[in-house]
């Protein structure tokens, strides 16, 4: 039986993430509808010079900010609630980055869903991950290496599945030249035994115990702060709480294809069709 849209959205909210495989931004309730809905977003991500420019801008900014943060021993980018007032001076420097649509590009997976149609299944996503064919976003490897060469550990916190996707993710990232440790210790997937809760908050705190976090990069609000499953207004208020941090401690990569924004935009929609729910979210003025 096909799960209802509301059930999928609930699953997405519980997941608190936007990893394409784990839930539904890229895990559409109806493949054909999503394919259509994602056409513009995916073509933009695959072809637009403007997207390339946006990612390069994000990583150029990140390099500048990293150097400034490294020079300030009290600088920290963990959410205030997650740091809990712990002093950071003397802790080892780190950055926290998401993987999908932050450092690596899964647009080919989206394109296949559009071209082939058919419903998303977790198996399709895991098959894509197992191919190890995600590419690096422009500027991402240079930034990660820039950090690593300065003694800054790059922690990849992604909601890919630790159980299913760890080896392929490790292989894919290392083949692209990202500074993933040989033992994979700087990879924290969803279900990692060191901090197994799905919300990224727990893994960020785990990193923060021994590191001061110079920067965080992501394409989804949950890559920076939790909880992200509120309404549109609640999520906007959460962003505004950290108004001064954006572009300074937290750097966002654009992702118009999927994300936790989508669950907020379609929350309480009541329509069985995803496209109809998205249309209901539009405002005329
Ligand atoms: Mg992501």
């Amino acid at each position: 039986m096909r799960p209802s849209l509301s059930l999928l959205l609930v699953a997405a909210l519980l997941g608190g993430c936007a990893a394409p495989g784990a839930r539904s931004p890229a895990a559409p309730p109806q493949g054909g509808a999503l394919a259509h809905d994602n056409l513009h977003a995916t073509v933009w991500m695959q072809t637009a010079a403007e997207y390339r420019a946006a990612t390069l801008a994000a990583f150029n900014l990140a390099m500048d900010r990293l150097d400034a943060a490294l020079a300030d021993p009290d600088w920290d980018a963990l959410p205030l609630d997650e740091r809990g007032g712990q002093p950071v001076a003397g802790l080892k420097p780190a950055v926290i980055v998401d993987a999908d649509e932050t450092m690596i590009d899964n647009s080919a997976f989206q394109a296949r869903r559009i071209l082939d149609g058919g419903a998303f299944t977790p198996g399709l996503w895991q098959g894509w991950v197992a191919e190890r064919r995600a590419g690096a976003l422009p500027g991402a490897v240079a930034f990660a290496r820039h950090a690593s060469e300065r003694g800054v550990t790059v922690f990849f916190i992604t909601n890919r599945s630790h159980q299913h996707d760890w080896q392929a993710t490790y292989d894919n990232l290392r083949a692209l030249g990202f500074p993933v440790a040989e033992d994979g210790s700087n990879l924290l997937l969803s279900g990692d035994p060191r901090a197994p809760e799905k919300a990224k908050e727990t893994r960020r705190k785990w990193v923060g115990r021994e590191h001061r976090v110079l920067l965080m990069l992501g394409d989804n609000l949950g890559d920076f702060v939790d909880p992200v499953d509120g309404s549109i207004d609640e999520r906007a208020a959460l962003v505004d709480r950290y108004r001064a941090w954006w572009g300074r401690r937290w750097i966002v990569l654009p992702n118009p294809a999927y994300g936790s924004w989508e669950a907020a935009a379609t929350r309480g929609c009541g329509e069985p069709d995803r496209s109809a729910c998205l249309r209901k979210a539009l405002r005329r003025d």
Side-chain angles (χ1 to χ4, degrees):
M1 192 175 92
R2 174 176 286 170
S4 69
L5 173 61
S6 59
L7 282 176
L8 284 165
L9 290 177
V10 166
L13 296 176
L14 290 174
C17 72
R23 76 98 179 135
S24 67
Q30 293 156 6
L34 178 87
H36 182 270
D37 290 344
N38 257 345
L39 178 59
H40 275 73
T42 304
V43 172
W44 186 74
M45 295 173 89
Q46 290 199 325
T47 70
E50 291 84 353
Y51 179 50
R52 183 175 185 83
T55 64
L56 288 171
F59 290 114
N60 284 339
L61 174 63
M63 282 197 267
D64 289 349
R65 297 306 304 168
L66 181 130
D67 292 342
L70 197 54
D72 179 351
D74 294 318
W75 183 270
D76 186 51
L78 267 198
L80 300 171
D81 296 343
E82 296 177 19
R83 177 58 72 190
Q86 172 200 11
V88 298
L91 297 180
K92 296 173 284 186
V95 296
I96 293 175
V97 300
D98 171 51
D100 296 316
E101 277 54 70
T102 295
M103 307 300 275
I104 56 175
D105 167 11
N106 301 286
S107 61
F109 176 74
Q110 302 283 356
R112 293 181 195 180
R113 301 282 63 72
I114 295 168
L115 293 169
D116 299 344
F120 171 92
T121 68
L124 284 173
W125 169 250
Q126 284 168 16
W128 161 255
V129 169
E131 288 183 40
R132 298 156 166 81
R133 292 187 65 187
L137 285 180
V141 173
F143 164 70
R145 287 183 169 173
H146 179 90
S148 185
E149 287 162 5
R150 282 155 182 75
V152 177
T153 303
V154 180
F155 283 96
F156 294 82
I157 296 184
T158 163
N159 275 353
R160 288 183 173 204
S161 161
H162 181 85
Q163 180 184 358
H164 299 293
D165 303 328
W166 193 93
Q167 189 64 51
T169 302
Y170 171 92
D171 293 345
N172 199 160
L173 291 172
R174 279 178 63 99
L176 292 169
F178 285 109
V180 173
E182 192 164 348
D183 64 0
S185 54
N186 57 331
L187 277 187
L188 287 101
L189 278 61
S190 181
D192 187 299
R194 294 170 291 180
E197 291 80 6
K198 189 156 191 175
K200 291 189 172 183
E201 174 179 1
T202 312
R203 280 170 280 166
R204 286 192 296 264
K205 284 180 173 175
W206 183 88
V207 170
R209 287 197 317 218
E210 294 187 359
H211 297 83
R212 69 183 182 99
V213 179
L214 306 182
L215 283 175
M216 298 203 295
L217 280 78
D219 68 299
N220 188 55
L221 187 55
D223 297 330
F224 304 95
V225 64
D226 282 294
V228 296
D229 57 354
S231 67
I232 293 170
D233 288 344
E234 288 165 343
R235 286 162 49 84
L238 188 54
V239 167
D240 286 354
R241 183 181 173 202
Y242 291 93
R243 178 178 289 268
W245 288 32
W246 300 104
R248 297 189 177 109
R249 301 180 203 219
W250 297 353
I251 296 174
V252 183
L253 280 294
N255 182 359
Y258 66 88
S260 57
W261 58 269
E262 206 180 344
T266 57
R267 194 183 197 196
C269 162
E271 302 281 349
D273 177 73
R274 177 179 176 277
S275 182
C277 285
L278 291 172
R279 289 179 70 86
K280 281 180 77 170
L282 291 172
R283 297 177 302 191
R284 285 190 178 273
D285 50 30

